[in-house]
Amino acid sequence: MPIARNGPVELYYESVGRGPAVLLISGQAMTLDAWWRTVPQLCGSFRVLTFDNRDIGRSSHSPWPYVVAQMADDAHAVLDAAGVERAHVYGLSLGGMVAQELALHHPERVETLVLGATTGGGPEAILARSQPLTFFVRVGAMAPEEAEWAAVPYNYGLRTRREHGARIAEDIAKRVENQTDTLAYLHQIAAAASHNTVGRLGSVRVPTLVMHGEEDLVMPPRNGELLAKAIPGAELKVWPGAGHLYVTDEPEADRYIRQFLVRHTAAFAEQHAA
């Protein structure tokens, strides 16, 4: 079983495909299996690395709280263990916060940055409305499958809920295979709540794509606009009719990301061949 180590923390990871490396960083309370739609879209052109964040799935569980910067050091340890010097980095939600810290603390390891449904935090961050915000505080006390179905109105866009219920059922079937305990869930809520990179994002110098669903109730899309504004040269892509889990709502999103990564892989190769 492939394991990366960051001090006492052990991190389970997987590697699929060949080519330039892409590191995928999962969102709150989600194992690497949450990327089951994305990995097949990328592994034909890239070596795709996925891992369980600390406290989640097959990685070490912690009795103590932690911050996003520590999770970024975990991601750095995965790159080391996989023998990857430099990677495209794509983080979703909490994973996008981790990706920001990775790019800021270890810029030499990041080729490009994709930030999905996330925020830079800080005083300007736009919080969810009271109903979804209080729901996700309470959800850790629910039974796993009950919590997943109760979260559907907040995670997915209206069109998907009306017309593509099978997609939602597929997602939930994957997520309930690996349950997150209440303490781990609370740890990750606390880590996300304390995240703040706003004053440092101007130092990001790699090509960056910011992705957001227009109907995101968990992480309002204004956060994506603020991120793209703070990072020099960042591209912002907002998907109409998509919610927080925009990859399920809009299948074109993964293909769009692949094109972004391919384009910038080629640009990097040309730059260093000159």
Side-chain angles (χ1 to χ4, degrees), residues 20-31:
V22 180
L23 179 68
L24 304 181
I25 308 178
S26 302
Q28 182 173 298
M30 290 187 175
T31 68

Side-chain angles (χ1 to χ4, degrees), residues 148-165:
E148 292 291 351
W149 284 106
V152 165
Y154 307 113
N155 281 333
Y156 298 95
L158 180 61
R159 181 183 60 201
T160 303
R161 302 199 310 269
R162 286 179 171 174
E163 301 176 10
H164 302 291

Side-chain angles (χ1 to χ4, degrees), residues 94-113:
L94 173 60
M97 301 176 199
V98 176
Q100 292 167 51
E101 289 286 7
L102 180 62
L104 291 165
H105 283 271
H106 306 283
E108 75 286 354
R109 308 300 293 272
V110 178
E111 184 68 46
T112 64
L113 198 55

Side-chain angles (χ1 to χ4, degrees), residues 149-196:
W149 284 106
V152 165
Y154 307 113
N155 281 333
Y156 298 95
L158 180 61
R159 181 183 60 201
T160 303
R161 302 199 310 269
R162 286 179 171 174
E163 301 176 10
H164 302 291
R167 292 184 197 166
I168 295 173
E170 288 172 338
D171 281 3
I172 290 175
K174 289 283 184 181
R175 291 200 291 269
V176 298
E177 288 176 3
N178 294 286
Q179 301 175 5
T180 299
D181 63 63
T182 300
L183 182 59
Y185 192 88
L186 294 174
H187 281 164
Q188 296 208 334
I189 286 179
S194 64
H195 169 70
N196 183 354

Side-chain angles (χ1 to χ4, degrees), residues 4-7 11 13 23-25 49 51 53-54 68-87 89 98-99 101-110:
R5 290 177 172 82
N6 177 21
L11 302 142
Y13 74 94
L23 179 68
L24 304 181
I25 308 178
L49 298 170
F51 69 102
N53 284 311
R54 63 168 67 195
V68 172
Q70 290 172 278
M71 298 176 72
D73 287 340
D74 295 342
H76 182 263
V78 171
L79 293 178
D80 283 346
V84 172
E85 182 177 343
R86 195 172 173 94
V89 177
V98 176
E101 289 286 7
L102 180 62
L104 291 165
H105 283 271
H106 306 283
E108 75 286 354
R109 308 300 293 272
V110 178

Side-chain angles (χ1 to χ4, degrees), residues 239-261:
W239 296 98
H244 191 59
L245 299 182
Y246 59 79
V247 172
T248 299
D249 290 324
E250 180 48 78
E252 184 61 30
D254 277 332
R255 292 187 283 272
Y256 192 94
I257 290 168
R258 180 185 175 278
Q259 291 168 0
F260 173 85
L261 298 179

